[in-house]
Amino acid sequence: MIRLVLLVLVLAAAMWLGPLLVNNAGYVKVIVAGKVFETTLLGLAILVLGLATALGLLAMLLRKLMRLQHISFNFLKWRRQRKAQQAFELGLEAYAKQQWQLASQFLQQACADDFMAAQKHLIAAYAAFYAGDSDKANRHAQQLQQSDAGLFLQADLLLQQAQPGQACALLAERVQANPEDKGLGQLYLYALQQAGQWQQLLQWVPTALKQQWFDKTKWRQQRFNIYPAAISQLSQQQRFDEAADYWQALPAKERKSTAANIGRAWAMAQSGQQEAAEKLLLSQLQLAELPQLLPYIRQIPLGRSVLKLRKQVQNWLHEHPTNGYLYALLAYMAAEEGESEQAALAWQKARQYEPSLKV
């Protein structure tokens, strides 16, 4: 608004002074060092305007020259940054193609420039690790010690080097202080699982649920990754107690889940209660969940207490004769009964209909 008012005032002044200066040109005489300069008021105004424009252009030219001079003084730095940028681009391309050795070399060069330094060290560490150079990977990780990304990287490298206990120790305090970080939380649960720290793992489940470290679909799988092994192992160590605080702190939905009952059946069978284990297992068994359940069922030592389970599987086979998971379950039961030939034949059928199954 102020600019508009000023523009109106300037135009009004020009409209008033313009005719005045044309009709009354005036006379200006300047004497400097014996030299006489004569002009009209209008000519003087034009001269002043011309000088101001020339000075403005000169100032702009000088600024341009100074900027060029600045670039020339930093030419070596600029060239180094340009080479680092090119190395980063080439390193990312090699990383995407899983050319780990080449990616590691280029990303190492890219780290010479501070631009996106954290991201460069992060990717360079993985490239070096996959290329077989753990020392270089650890050196990159040490450059990110204070950040969550750096902590994640160090813990992940420890896990991939079969050192889950150290990964747990590294992550525990940071996850406790910042449980909102889903990436760190997921990695911490995985580290506890790999380290066999089952009670601590169960104690962290309420936090994982509250902070939604996993979406609903992934959590259904996580239940099977957690409860069967946790209950089984704690029972063997005589440390599993359903009245314990760490178990009662879990939501009822978790304690009554199929995954938790698979763990109970596993623990029963280990303690010699095969018939009770089969009964519980049969009550939880659903055909739709069999691909998830099978890896855990095959670890339950039912022995010869598989008669009722066999009947259920045979009933399902009448309706689904090409279901490879059912044949795999038959192979497991035959092996439990000591029928190795029948187990081999059933397993052959299982692989025929479901090639992804592994012995």
Side-chain angles (χ1 to χ4, degrees):
M1 185 64 184
I2 296 176
R3 292 181 180 179
L4 182 60
V5 172
L6 290 175
L7 180 60
V8 170
L9 291 175
V10 170
L11 290 174
M15 292 174 64
W16 179 68
L17 291 173
L20 181 64
L21 290 174
V22 171
N23 297 327
N24 300 280
Y27 178 73
V28 176
K29 183 177 181 179
V30 180
I31 302 175
V32 179
K35 295 185 178 180
V36 179
F37 300 92
E38 299 180 59
T39 184
T40 63
L41 285 174
L42 182 60
L44 181 62
I46 293 173
L47 180 62
V48 170
L49 181 61
L51 287 173
T53 302
L55 288 173
L57 291 172
L58 181 61
M60 185 183 300
L61 180 62
L62 288 174
R63 281 197 299 271
K64 292 287 186 182
L65 290 174
M66 290 177 68
R67 188 176 303 167
L68 288 174
Q69 186 180 22
H70 173 74
I71 291 174
S72 67
F73 282 139
N74 292 276
F75 175 75
L76 293 177
K77 180 180 178 181
W78 174 84
R79 185 170 179 272
R80 185 170 62 251
Q81 290 174 339
R82 179 60 182 165
K83 288 181 67 176
Q85 181 181 344
Q86 290 175 340
F88 190 38
E89 294 170 358
L90 293 172
L92 289 178
E93 290 179 6
Y95 192 96
K97 296 175 182 177
Q98 299 185 8
Q99 297 174 334
W100 306 123
Q101 189 66 44
L102 192 62
S104 177
Q105 293 174 2
F106 280 127
L107 291 169
Q108 179 70 38
Q109 297 173 21
C111 290
D113 179 37
D114 291 337
F115 178 69
M116 295 181 67
Q119 290 77 7
K120 288 175 179 176
H121 283 296
L122 189 65
I123 302 173
Y126 281 113
F129 181 80
Y130 296 143
D133 194 338
S134 298
D135 291 337
K136 182 185 285 188
N138 290 329
R139 287 197 296 272
H140 282 294
Q142 289 170 4
Q143 299 297 317
L144 305 170
Q145 285 184 350
Q146 303 304 318
S147 67
D148 285 346
L151 192 69
F152 183 98
L153 171 62
Q154 292 179 67
D156 193 20
L157 291 177
L158 286 170
L159 283 169
Q160 296 195 52
Q161 295 174 74
Q163 301 178 55
Q166 293 185 33
C168 291
L170 187 65
L171 289 168
E173 185 176 348
R174 185 66 64 89
V175 175
Q176 182 74 43
N178 183 22
E180 295 84 6
D181 191 315
K182 295 182 180 181
L184 286 179
Q186 291 173 6
L187 190 67
Y188 186 45
L189 287 190
Y190 180 72
L192 290 171
Q193 177 188 344
Q194 294 299 306
Q197 298 182 22
W198 302 111
Q199 185 171 324
Q200 291 91 326
L201 179 57
L202 292 174
Q203 288 172 339
W204 274 97
V205 167
T207 302
L209 294 171
K210 180 181 178 181
Q211 299 297 335
Q212 297 182 341
W213 287 352
F214 302 90
D215 60 31
K216 291 182 179 179
T217 301
K218 290 183 178 179
W219 182 248
R220 283 196 289 269
Q221 177 57 47
Q222 284 302 315
R223 285 194 183 111
F224 291 101
N225 293 341
I226 294 172
Y227 297 128
I231 295 172
S232 168
Q233 294 299 318
L234 288 172
S235 295
Q236 281 190 306
Q237 300 165 12
Q238 297 183 346
R239 293 169 54 201
F240 180 72
D241 183 358
E242 294 195 33
D245 291 341
Y246 68 82
W247 186 253
Q248 291 299 316
L250 296 174
K253 183 179 180 181
E254 298 299 313
R255 288 183 276 120
K256 296 177 181 178
S257 66
T258 301
N261 281 310
I262 292 293
R264 288 189 180 94
W266 193 350
M268 288 177 181
Q270 287 173 329
S271 63
Q273 304 175 61
Q274 279 83 6
E275 291 185 9
E278 183 193 19
K279 183 179 179 179
L280 178 58
L281 185 61
L282 196 57
S283 71
Q284 298 296 312
L285 200 59
Q286 296 182 31
L287 183 60
E289 291 185 334
L290 194 54
Q292 287 178 299
L293 300 178
L294 185 62
Y296 306 101
I297 293 175
R298 290 173 61 189
Q299 299 182 67
I300 300 176
L302 287 179
R304 295 187 177 276
S305 296
V306 293
L307 180 60
K308 295 177 182 178
L309 185 59
R310 183 186 294 277
K311 287 182 178 180
Q312 178 62 69
V313 173
Q314 288 173 342
N315 288 336
W316 276 334
L317 273 173
H318 286 305
E319 300 177 5
H320 308 278
T322 60
N323 189 311
Y325 293 100
L326 291 175
Y327 284 105
L329 197 51
L330 280 178
Y332 152 75
M333 290 185 289
E336 288 295 297
E337 292 178 314
E339 301 289 344
S340 57
E341 291 184 8
Q342 291 185 16
L345 289 173
W347 187 252
Q348 187 177 356
K349 278 277 190 180
R351 292 295 303 275
Q352 176 184 344
Y353 294 119
E354 192 61 49
S356 62
L357 285 169
K358 297 180 180 179
V359 178

